[in-house]
Amino acid sequence: MLVQIRRSITASIGALGDLRFTRGFYAYIGSAIGGGTDLLHRVRRHFAQRKRIHWHIDYLLASPSAKPVAALLIPETTRLECTLANALLSEGFEPVPRFGCSDCRCVSHLFYLGSSVQKAKEVLYRIVKRLGYQGWWWTPLSPEKDRYSKRYS
């Protein structure tokens, strides 16, 4: 999921404490095993303004300066988040230490991708394609709320 930080902020992220976030776009890598409806349900939850604060990403998205922009949906029955996180790390993207990965040994599941939404989307698409997966972008601003805005194969 792409998250935009509209201005640099310090946000309290649960047990991680106060973390500094630079203005720009971040890739949050998560999962919703089951694909289809389960995947879309999880993504919609992240885009919802009112929700119970549970995950690290919920704390970040509670800030008025943070907003989810789009989600690259990859319907798989296996957990891919560590593979994707390690690919972003190996390409030199800056991780937010320990964010979103309290249930694994990854450095992070949140990475700073820079100030261009288009470049951020291209990076994620390229990595997903290189790893041999297919996905498509979803945004609640799509003409049909439950349609995927652009499919990649």
Side-chain angles (χ1 to χ4, degrees), residues 10-79:
T10 298
S12 182
I13 309 296
L16 297 180
D18 290 345
L19 299 178
R20 184 85 177 138
F21 296 90
T22 303
R23 180 179 185 262
F25 293 90
Y26 290 76
Y28 170 67
I29 311 300
S31 69
I33 299 303
T37 305
D38 296 334
L39 178 61
L40 196 51
H41 178 78
R42 175 69 57 90
V43 170
R44 279 190 190 130
R45 182 195 181 281
H46 287 313
F47 277 77
Q49 295 204 353
R50 293 183 187 175
K51 61 184 164 261
R52 186 175 141 260
I53 304 291
H54 180 71
W55 292 291
H56 291 154
I57 192 67
D58 296 335
Y59 288 95
L60 178 58
L61 293 177
S63 167
S65 292
K67 92 173 197 183
V69 175
L72 181 56
L73 305 182
I74 307 166
E76 289 290 325
T77 57
T78 58
R79 297 180 80 88

Side-chain angles (χ1 to χ4, degrees), residues 84-104:
L84 293 171
N86 287 326
L88 284 164
L89 189 62
S90 72
E91 293 211 12
F93 291 99
E94 183 182 337
V96 176
R98 303 179 325 197
F99 192 104
C101 59
S102 55
D103 61 345
C104 67

